[in-house]
Every structure is written in C-alpha cells, then in structure tokens.
Amino acid sequence: MEKVPGEMEIERRERSEELSEAERKAVQATWARLYANCEDVGVAILVRFFVNFPSAKQYFSQFKHMEEPLEMERSPQLRKHACRVMGALNTVVENLHDPEKVSSVLALVGKAHALKHKVEPVYFKILSGVILEVIAEEFANDFPPETQRAWAKLRGLIYSHVTAAYKEVGWVQQVPNATTPPATLPSSGP
C-alpha cells in the first residue's frame, strides 16, 4: 500500500555532502559500466519505478494507462523518457568534479519538473532509490560497501539540489486528487 509522505517529511533536511575524489571515481566507474547499456537499464529502472509506485504514472499521459511491465518495456515513449533520465544522470556523473555544473543541471531538472510537469519532489527520492536497487542488482558481486555509500551520498546530493530548485521557484505541495493513489517512500535510507 502506498502512503503520502507528510509535508514535514518532504521538508526534512537531506544530506548534501560533496563526494570525495575516491567516491567520485567509484561512482563514475560503476556508472560507465551501467551506461554502456543505457536504454535497457533506463527502461528497467522506469518499469520498476512505475510497477512499484504506480501513482508516479499520473505525470505521464503517454503511458499512465499501462499496467503490464512488458507493455511498458515496449513503449517507445517510455524508452525515450528512459534515455532522457539516463542522459541527465550521465551529465551529473560525468561532471561530479564540477559542483557548479552539477548544481546547474539539477536546478534545470528540478525547475522543469516543478513548473512544467508539476511532479511532487518526493518522486525524485523514490526514483533514486529504485536506481540504487537496480545498480546493486546489476553489480551484486562487485558493489562493495564504499561504492554503495558513494552512491547513497550522490542520491542525497541529487535530491538536495532538486528540492532546492523546487523551493527556489516557490513550490507548494500539490494535493493529490481522489483518484490518484499517493506514493510510498522506500524503506531504505538516502
């Protein structure tokens, strides 16, 4: 069952520490291997996201009606969006050495999703949790604790920058309509 996080939970301060050089290298090495199969990995991430958190589909008119994972996997619109998500993540990961560039990219993503798409910011936290799950499965035998911590730190950094962009544009939490089931936060930490 999905639950709505309270406004207090959304506003809770996220850790936004910069990554060390060793952490950047660990994230970039993992990402390079993942990004080599960009479209399929992106589709796997989005399908899991929509299957586990179906309320997230409300923001996508092209595939919000889809229920079956196979139908989602075959959707050209979903595949296209998966490539956009992976491309944005790639820009962030490739520029981890440049905090201003990372901040700029994530501000653009956050503002677009707040102003144009009206997406609740908690979905970024949920999606980043799904991304970490997929990475952990893809590299089950080669995802040591220090690399996991680096990715968790990056997750916090991404969420912090995105929510800062939402606040900058004066985001007000949207009230879910009666037909839209609210989202659940993943049980794992940042």
Side-chain angles (χ1 to χ4, degrees):
M1 176 183 234
E2 296 188 18
K3 74 171 194 182
V4 171
E7 191 168 333
M8 293 296 289
E9 188 155 352
I10 291 174
E11 294 296 322
R12 192 184 75 210
R13 189 85 178 136
E14 295 294 321
R15 289 185 300 149
S16 178
E17 304 170 43
E18 295 296 324
L19 276 68
S20 70
E21 183 64 27
E23 290 168 331
R24 283 194 299 268
K25 287 181 178 179
V27 165
Q28 288 170 332
T30 310
W31 180 255
R33 295 185 340 219
L34 203 65
Y35 196 66
N37 197 10
C38 167
E39 185 175 346
D40 289 338
V41 172
V43 168
I45 289 167
L46 288 186
V47 168
R48 181 176 302 189
F49 178 55
F50 293 135
V51 166
N52 292 343
F53 304 95
S55 61
K57 292 189 295 182
Q58 69 183 301
Y59 301 106
F60 298 92
S61 61
Q62 317 92 316
F63 42 87
K64 71 179 177 182
H65 63 282
M66 295 179 187
E67 298 296 327
E68 295 299 317
L70 190 57
E71 182 183 13
M72 289 182 220
E73 287 174 20
R74 293 179 177 162
S75 166
Q77 295 91 350
L78 189 137
R79 294 189 84 77
K80 183 177 177 184
H81 191 68
C83 288
R84 280 196 303 270
V85 169
M86 294 296 282
L89 280 170
N90 189 57
T91 301
V92 168
V93 171
E94 283 185 344
N95 289 285
L96 286 174
H97 64 281
D98 184 352
E100 287 184 26
K101 175 74 173 180
V102 169
S103 181
S104 174
V105 168
L106 293 173
L108 289 173
V109 169
K111 288 174 184 176
H113 283 79
L115 298 172
K116 183 177 179 186
H117 307 298
K118 309 285 190 230
V119 175
E120 288 289 338
V122 71
Y123 284 106
F124 283 92
K125 186 174 209 171
I126 295 168
L127 179 60
S128 64
V130 171
I131 291 167
L132 290 184
E133 288 174 12
V134 170
I135 293 170
E137 289 170 13
E138 287 287 318
F139 301 110
N141 299 323
D142 190 21
F143 198 49
E146 60 274 7
T147 302
Q148 292 175 34
R149 283 191 297 274
W151 274 98
K153 202 172 183 181
L154 178 60
R155 176 187 185 200
L157 184 134
I158 289 170
Y159 188 68
S160 174
H161 282 286
V162 168
T163 55
Y166 272 72
K167 288 175 187 163
E168 187 179 318
V169 299
W171 175 261
V172 176
Q173 185 175 12
Q174 306 297 299
V175 178
N177 67 38
T179 62
T180 305
T184 301
L185 288 173
S187 59
S188 61

